[in-house]
Amino acid sequence: MDSAAVEPADEHVRDAFQLLADETRLEILFALWNAPEWTATFTELKDAVGMRDSGQFQYHLNQLAGTFIRQVDDGYTHLASGIALYRTMLGSVAGTESIDPISLNESCPNCENRLQLTYENQVFYARCSTCDETLFSSPFLPAGLGNRTDDERLWAFDRWTRRMVGNLRDGVCPWCASTVNHELSGESSADETDSDVRIVHTCNRCGGFLKTTVGETVIDHPAVISFFYDHGKDITTIPHWKLDFCMSDSGVELISEEPTEIRLTIREAGDELTLTLDEDFTITESRRLKPQDGTRN
Ligand SMILES: [Zn+2]
Ligand SMILES: [Zn+2]
């Protein structure tokens, strides 16, 4: 643990945004965003912004330094945070704000009606239009909708979500890069056989969170990929909502709550893959079993 780590307060974030409330400083950032390798000399920046007073200009550069830009040997360069902010806005502003719901060709586990993907407030929701059950949801920037057919949107959304879940599971916040805490959600209980076992991944810094099934967290594990591959299925290219073990809890057993131990059994073409996960939701054991003859390998 790094004892020198500083917890960010709202005022730190407010101060950073406040720096942007100035025309000259915004012009400096735009000049750098458009500069080769995001680097420019003092003179290049001053000319781009069109400010004559060098002292005044230096003042604004100093204000931005450390938060959005940094002085380097040959001038100034953007920090990654400034570029990330710019890209987030590029992914969001003037983008497609609404699309018609897209059918997922999957049935609702509750009522058997068709599930559809709806887009609201820049978040995708996989929902049943009849019983209103939400199976999963995940933020997606509007730029991901433009220049794509519905099939391509589904593909992009699947890719985006898988990486987000992978980062969260691996303990790296996909939004701020900080550490992530994993917890069984309140609905889970070892006493109830039909309970939903969900894992809530929460960033310790920005508070960003996502609730996943157990299956979603093991989707890219070699044992899982190879199990399906041996049955002629490449699950790295199949949308995660088409994989039963990702969407359903039928193969999940909560063995123990303190400490957490979960068993996930994945079935395919008469074969079984059983995974055991510990309190960090890490796979500690994987076994393949052919139920017909009891052979393990
Ligand atoms: Zn339904
Ligand atoms: Zn975070």
Side-chain angles (χ1 to χ4, degrees), residues 190 253-257 259 261-263 276:
E253 283 174 85
L254 187 55
I255 307 296
S256 151
E257 278 182 90
E261 193 184 10
I262 293 172
R263 191 181 298 143
T276 308

Side-chain angles (χ1 to χ4, degrees), residues 163-182 200-205 208 217 280-282:
R163 300 225 161 96
M164 189 154 57
V165 171
N167 275 339
L168 284 164
R169 178 214 47 216
D170 292 342
V172 184
C173 174
W175 303 292
C176 81
S178 190
T179 55
V180 176
N181 183 47
H182 316 278
V200 183
H201 312 266
T202 309
C203 173
N204 291 312
R205 190 174 179 102
T217 67
D280 297 321
F281 303 101
T282 304

Side-chain angles (χ1 to χ4, degrees), residues 99-109 111-120 123-138 150 154 157 241-242 247:
I99 56 168
D100 290 335
I102 308 171
S103 174
L104 285 178
N105 287 324
E106 296 294 312
S107 300
C108 168
C111 74
E112 300 287 309
N113 274 299
R114 207 39 86 75
L115 286 177
Q116 55 186 25
L117 200 64
T118 61
Y119 190 66
E120 297 158 23
V123 177
F124 266 126
Y125 295 89
R127 252 194 211 130
C128 171
S129 55
T130 309
C131 73
D132 220 30
E133 168 84 3
T134 299
L135 261 86
F136 59 90
S137 64
S138 181
D150 279 356
L154 290 176
F157 173 64
W241 53 82
K242 289 189 182 296
M247 289 294 106

